[in-house]
Amino acid sequence: MLSATSLEPVRARFERGVTSSKPLYQGVVKRGFDLMVAGMVTLVVLSWLIPILALLIRLSSKGPALFVQVRSGRNGRQFPCLKFRTMTYNPGAEFKQAEKVDSRVTPIGKFLRKTNLDEMPQFLNVLAGHMSVVGPRPHPLPLDAMYWHVMPGYKDRYKVKPGITGLAQSRGARGETREAHQMKLRIRYDRMYIRQQSISLDARICWWTVKAVFKGNKNAW
């Protein structure tokens, strides 16, 4: 289990002797990085992956292949966040975080969630300007409502565009946030990223995320 102490080696690595390029990188350079990566992934991967996974999802359970959920973006502006559907289709269901043993998750959905492939359609969100490739993960609106005004630093994670992946997720602070300390740890990672973001850090986070796909994400279910 991750704890606050597990954050210290990462903090030291990024804050010792690091000069942040945040002001410049938040603008043209970061958008260029986003368009380059998202464009390449869309052409090389999504062009064939979306039809194949959409067919498998539709064959395994009733309902649409894509799941569209409204989430908060930069400065709290809401946008339609795209995912492959990983749960049984129930449009009237109330929000509930996925649990380790969750009967709602379909067999193909379990694989997609474990490998992060369910997030791949969000590269289209990046092209549309809703998201970045790397940044704090956007939370469902009920989680925002729960923490926005009561947890220190929570709103800070929305000073930048949300990301498909982020420092928190790449270091294991992902998945269910049943306990407050789990959300606090995620926020500390997110705020660290916002302070130290750069093209080299984004590239490293992308690499860590790809490695996690093949190793398996311990907190993904």
Side-chain angles (χ1 to χ4, degrees):
M1 178 181 294
L2 288 168
S3 64
T5 56
S6 66
L7 183 63
E8 298 309 318
V10 181
R11 181 193 300 278
R13 183 185 307 172
F14 294 125
E15 294 189 350
R16 184 173 60 244
V18 174
T19 300
S20 174
S21 57
K22 180 178 61 174
L24 172 63
Y25 189 60
Q26 280 186 349
V28 177
V29 178
K30 186 170 179 67
R31 183 58 179 160
F33 178 87
D34 287 341
L35 289 175
M36 179 185 70
V37 174
M40 182 172 62
V41 170
T42 300
L43 290 174
V44 177
V45 181
L46 293 187
S47 57
W48 57 266
L49 184 66
I50 286 181
I52 292 175
L53 289 183
L55 178 61
L56 293 176
I57 292 168
R58 292 296 300 273
L59 290 175
S60 64
S61 62
K62 295 181 180 180
L66 289 180
F67 175 63
V68 182
Q69 186 179 57
V70 176
R71 298 199 176 189
S72 297
R74 187 176 183 181
N75 297 324
R77 184 175 300 171
Q78 296 177 357
F79 70 97
C81 186
L82 306 177
K83 298 182 68 173
F84 284 119
R85 181 173 58 83
T86 60
M87 295 184 175
T88 52
Y89 184 59
N90 185 0
E94 294 184 0
F95 169 75
K96 179 183 177 183
Q97 283 189 289
E99 300 173 341
K100 190 169 185 177
V101 179
D102 199 319
S103 61
R104 298 173 300 165
V105 179
T106 63
I108 184 67
K110 185 175 181 179
F111 169 76
L112 294 177
R113 298 175 76 92
K114 193 70 176 178
T115 58
N116 279 351
L117 288 176
D118 62 320
E119 312 286 0
M120 291 295 287
Q122 288 165 28
F123 282 102
L124 301 178
N125 283 121
V126 174
L127 293 178
H130 303 140
M131 300 176 66
S132 289
V133 174
V134 180
R137 282 292 300 160
H139 291 159
L141 297 185
L143 278 186
D144 285 342
M146 184 183 302
Y147 293 111
W148 194 276
H149 296 293
V150 298
M151 182 165 286
Y154 187 88
K155 290 187 289 187
D156 292 346
R157 51 195 317 279
Y158 291 103
K159 291 180 178 179
V160 299
K161 286 183 182 179
I164 299 174
T165 186
L167 180 60
Q169 286 67 34
S170 67
R171 308 320 289 170
R174 54 162 296 160
E176 190 178 10
T177 52
R178 184 184 296 272
E179 304 293 338
H181 71 86
Q182 294 171 309
M183 182 61 78
K184 288 179 180 178
L185 179 62
R186 185 179 298 185
I187 291 171
R188 292 179 67 187
Y189 271 120
D190 289 339
R191 296 180 71 187
M192 184 191 304
Y193 169 77
I194 292 171
R195 291 194 302 271
Q196 304 298 337
Q197 61 183 299
S198 67
I199 193 167
S200 61
L201 178 55
D202 276 13
R204 278 182 285 170
I205 291 172
C206 288
W207 172 239
W208 291 334
T209 302
V210 171
K211 286 201 302 181
V213 169
F214 294 99
K215 290 183 176 180
N217 293 288
K218 295 180 179 179
N219 297 322
W221 47 72

